[in-house]
Amino acid sequence: LPTIFNDFFNDDCFPMRSTTVPAINVKEFDKEFVIELAVPGMTKEDFRVHVNDKDQLVVSVEKRQENNEAAKFLRREFNYTRFEQTLLLPDNIDREAITAKAKHGVLKIKLPKLANSPEKEPTRVIEIQ
């Protein structure tokens, strides 16, 4: 009987999935940047968001699923999830006003821009001599 299950649950029928990285959107508005991560099944307790000493925004997700069943697993791929994304913050971000909210499997991080941030210089071509 185990060989039947091993043959059925082999990598041809169910290929091994590599660690998946959540899809991420980064949007820029006049007064803020918004980062969205698609992380279905995660709750706000599964996240950690902080700014590190290198001025980077670090988003970590960790979820461990406990198994109370007395079953012997022939294959198990979804009992533990861990992910970390690091993003360099632009200079014009108000680091004290960053907020994050998790709702319906989407983590949304708002990065407000500083009110007195310098305007970007227009692109210019440099003449080569």
Side-chain angles (χ1 to χ4, degrees):
L1 189 60
T3 54
I4 294 172
F5 280 108
N6 288 339
D7 291 341
F8 182 72
F9 291 110
N10 68 18
D11 287 343
D12 294 332
C13 295
F14 295 95
M16 291 296 289
R17 292 173 208 83
S18 62
T19 304
T20 57
V21 176
I24 184 170
N25 293 330
V26 179
K27 302 175 190 176
E28 182 177 8
F29 298 95
D30 289 339
K31 296 186 179 191
E32 69 184 356
F33 291 94
V34 175
I35 299 170
E36 299 170 321
L37 280 90
V39 282
M42 300 295 177
T43 64
K44 68 179 187 175
E45 290 79 17
D46 300 325
F47 296 104
R48 180 169 185 257
V49 179
H50 70 281
V51 177
N52 67 14
D53 59 351
K54 296 177 183 170
D55 212 26
Q56 299 169 327
L57 181 72
V58 181
V59 180
S60 303
V61 180
E62 186 168 7
K63 184 170 191 130
R64 190 180 299 263
Q65 295 177 351
E66 300 298 326
N67 181 25
N68 295 329
E69 299 175 19
K72 177 182 174 188
F73 283 91
L74 299 175
R75 184 172 184 135
R76 186 172 186 173
E77 296 183 5
F78 58 90
N79 67 328
Y80 180 76
T81 301
R82 185 172 183 346
F83 164 79
E84 186 172 285
Q85 177 73 46
T86 304
L87 302 164
L88 184 62
L89 292 175
D91 292 334
N92 64 339
I93 296 298
D94 183 354
R95 281 136 178 82
E96 300 301 318
I98 296 172
T99 60
K101 183 176 184 178
K103 185 176 181 181
H104 302 300
V106 176
L107 175 66
K108 184 181 282 190
I109 304 167
K110 292 187 176 186
L111 306 159
K113 294 179 181 179
L114 291 169
N116 298 328
S117 61
E119 292 289 325
K120 288 183 179 178
E121 291 185 21
T123 306
R124 68 183 185 101
V125 177
I126 312 261
E127 184 181 333
I128 301 172
Q129 297 179 11

